[in-house]
Amino acid sequence: MELHMTDSPINSSTTPLSTSTVSTSDDYFEKRQLKQGAVGWLLLVGLGVAYVISGDFAGWNFGLAQGGWGGMFIATVVVAIMYLCMCLSMSEMATMLPTAGGGYSFARTAFGPFGGYLTGTAILIEYAIAPAAIACFIGAYCESLFGVGGWIIYLICYLVFMGIHLKGAGEALKIMFVITAIAAVALFVFIIAMAPHFNSANLFNIAPTENIGASSFLPMGYIGIWAAVPYAIWFFLAVEGVPLAAEEAKDPSKSLPRGLIGSMLILAAFALLILFLGAGAAGAEQLKESGAPLVDALVAVYGQNSWLGSFVNFVGLAGLIASFFSIIYAYSRQIFALSRAGYLPTSLSLTNKNKAPYLAIIIPGIIGFLLSLTGEGDLLILMAVFGATISYVLMMLSHIKLRISRPELHRPYKTPGGIVTSSIALILASIAVIAGFVVDPKVWFMAAAIYAVFIAYFIFHSRHRLVQGTPEEEFESIRKAEQDL
């Protein structure tokens, strides 16, 4: 492959950082193609649920420790509104720009290369770190079920599921859909088992502190609502990754909105039912620090050796695996798009004979495995949430910008409420960015430092080596041509 430097004025009006592009040899994009038409709308719904379903099995309960049940409940409702508004806004942008870059593509079109890069790398931080947190929870469930956890479980997870993804998107997502369906059965069993034992008093059994506004409903006071936000986000984190399948989707103008909105509604229902019935049957105090809260809730209600506890423990692994499995897909497609465009080393976007971006699957997997060795699932959640919320702010700004500056663009799907909807999501996402700092400033700054390294890479290197001919560049070329006419 040969790369030739050329001048590129495309961003002089949208970013203070000048950029230059490189032309490519004829076979550059031939080596970087995904399998088109491999994913229908039902698989996209399954993908959206799979991204997130692990959040129902573990991680959310740490919000009980931060805000009590009342704080976590309020945070969950607010976060659900944010995600619903965001999914409606992203549905419009995804049908307008159906590329594998997802949020990066939206911001690239709205704010130029630097805006696209800021969004893409924030998403990448989210997707690269989230599987490491999930691996920690898989280890906890395996420890409970088999007596074996730790690094060996993390390693097996990464090796097996990266291997499946290397076989190609269609095969991987069909397997993921089956795993997700099994996990959903486990959630239904848990909900049905907990319902007869619900007692509202159990929701409020965390002792109130002396914080401002503290009560049995808000034991940590008003600040607890804010501190619970990152863990409420864990109920929905990564559902926005559905558009990453755009280049592999059948009829993206219809399937992408169905996938985003359908999966979001399913996830919201699961989140509220589990939050009410899990804590309401077993007690918020009993679950607030559990590594396997659904299993511990069943043990608290039905005893140590109940078949229900064993069933949900065993089948519940499917939920954790589904998210782990699907987020590998998400980070590989995000890296594929950024690499193909030259923001990251172009070798990362090479695809194998099955049209799978193999280096984009393997290299982040190695990094994620090393992060999982910390065993700090709750802290890894905060780092993933940092990247996620930064990207949400930038994507909602992109929606507003494109609505104002490009009203003539063809939009197969239009967001109900327009920029009012995306503005609601923007405000809530901005609050969520700060919420992670409230929980643990040290971890927040660690994530910010990783982000700063990515930004420095763009400023000093990759902005001079962007690639001509990517879907985002082609869209920009069409825009420039229209302006000239």
Side-chain angles (χ1 to χ4, degrees):
M1 179 189 74
E2 295 182 357
L3 298 178
H4 305 285
M5 297 296 296
T6 61
D7 294 330
S8 177
I10 58 175
N11 303 298
S12 58
S13 63
T14 55
T15 174
L17 294 173
S18 62
T19 63
S20 56
T21 62
V22 294
S23 58
T24 61
S25 60
D26 293 339
D27 65 346
Y28 180 82
F29 290 106
E30 290 180 7
K31 295 178 180 179
R32 292 164 172 81
Q33 293 182 2
L34 300 173
K35 188 175 181 180
Q36 297 181 353
V39 186
W41 73 268
L42 192 58
L43 275 181
L44 288 176
V45 172
L47 178 62
V49 174
Y51 280 146
V52 187
I53 199 168
S54 65
D56 293 317
F57 287 91
W60 62 270
N61 53 299
F62 297 131
L64 299 174
Q66 295 293 332
W69 187 86
M72 183 61 181
F73 170 71
I74 294 172
T76 300
V77 171
V78 171
V79 166
I81 293 170
M82 178 188 79
Y83 271 94
L84 181 58
C85 291
M86 189 171 70
C87 286
L88 292 170
S89 302
M90 290 189 68
S91 292
E92 176 177 301
M93 294 187 290
T95 58
M96 185 173 66
L97 293 163
T99 75
Y104 141 69
S105 301
F106 311 150
R108 166 67 184 82
T109 304
F111 297 111
F114 189 47
Y117 182 82
L118 288 176
T119 306
T121 49
I123 294 170
L124 185 55
I125 290 171
E126 171 193 357
Y127 289 160
I129 295 177
I134 297 168
C136 295
F137 300 136
I138 292 175
Y141 268 72
C142 286
E143 182 75 34
S144 175
L145 190 60
F146 307 115
V148 179
W151 72 269
I152 188 65
I153 297 298
Y154 310 156
L155 180 62
I156 290 171
C157 286
Y158 274 101
L159 290 178
V160 170
F161 297 115
M162 285 193 304
I164 294 174
H165 275 288
L166 292 172
K167 297 294 290 182
E171 293 76 7
L173 293 184
K174 288 173 185 175
I175 294 171
M176 174 277 303
F177 190 85
V178 173
I179 296 173
T180 304
I182 294 171
V185 170
L187 292 180
F188 278 119
V189 169
F190 175 82
I191 290 166
I192 292 169
M194 291 288 102
H197 300 275
F198 176 81
N199 183 343
S200 60
N202 290 331
L203 301 174
F204 313 117
N205 66 351
I206 296 177
T209 64
E210 296 182 357
N211 293 343
I212 296 175
S215 64
S216 59
F217 181 72
L218 294 173
M220 281 67 180
Y222 301 130
I223 192 69
I225 300 172
W226 207 347
V229 165
Y231 301 101
I233 287 174
W234 194 242
F235 269 134
F236 308 100
L237 185 81
V239 68
E240 76 279 0
V242 171
L244 293 171
E247 291 184 31
E248 295 156 287
K250 298 175 183 176
D251 194 5
S253 64
K254 294 181 179 179
S255 61
L256 289 173
R258 290 175 182 175
L260 271 165
I261 298 168
S263 56
M264 181 57 208
L265 294 176
I266 292 170
L267 292 165
F270 274 141
L272 291 173
L273 286 169
I274 288 167
L275 182 59
F276 268 94
L277 296 177
E285 175 68 35
Q286 287 71 22
L287 298 184
K288 69 180 184 180
E289 296 179 353
S290 171
L294 301 196
V295 175
D296 287 346
L298 287 165
V299 168
V301 173
Y302 290 96
Q304 186 67 45
N305 298 315
S306 70
W307 72 267
L308 280 169
S310 298
F311 174 80
V312 171
N313 196 347
F314 185 77
V315 180
L317 277 173
L320 296 169
I321 288 170
S323 291
F324 183 89
F325 187 72
S326 57
I327 296 177
I328 290 176
Y329 174 87
Y331 76 57
S332 68
R333 269 48 182 183
Q334 188 66 70
I335 291 175
F336 169 83
L338 290 171
S339 168
R340 181 177 62 180
Y343 292 100
L344 297 178
T346 54
S347 59
L348 293 175
S349 55
L350 291 170
T351 52
N352 62 16
K353 63 180 182 180
N354 299 314
K355 304 299 183 184
Y358 58 96
L359 291 177
I361 292 171
I362 294 171
I363 292 177
I366 294 172
I367 296 171
F369 169 69
L370 295 175
L371 287 172
S372 71
L373 295 178
T374 65
E376 301 287 349
D378 55 339
L379 300 184
L380 291 170
I381 287 175
L382 290 179
M383 294 180 74
V385 166
F386 171 87
T389 51
I390 292 290
S391 73
Y392 300 163
V393 168
L394 293 169
M395 286 189 288
M396 294 305 97
L397 286 172
S398 299
H399 182 269
I400 295 169
K401 172 72 159 50
L402 290 172
R403 268 296 184 102
I404 294 172
S405 65
R406 301 301 308 278
E408 80 286 356
L409 288 176
H410 177 58
R411 291 169 166 84
Y413 175 89
K414 291 188 177 181
T415 302
I419 62 174
V420 173
T421 300
S422 51
S423 296
I424 292 170
L426 172 62
I427 293 169
L428 296 178
S430 300
I431 293 171
V433 171
I434 304 171
F437 181 83
V438 172
V439 177
D440 194 324
K442 181 181 177 181
V443 173
W444 193 92
F445 278 119
M446 287 172 60
I450 295 172
Y451 196 35
V453 170
F454 275 115
I455 294 171
Y457 179 79
F458 177 84
I459 292 173
F460 295 109
H461 180 71
S462 66
R463 70 186 176 97
H464 302 297
R465 301 189 62 82
L466 303 185
V467 174
Q468 289 183 334
T470 63
E472 298 78 27
E473 291 282 354
E474 290 299 312
F475 186 88
E476 183 67 16
S477 297
I478 293 171
R479 184 182 74 84
K480 283 291 184 181
E482 289 174 347
Q483 286 182 344
D484 292 340
L485 289 174

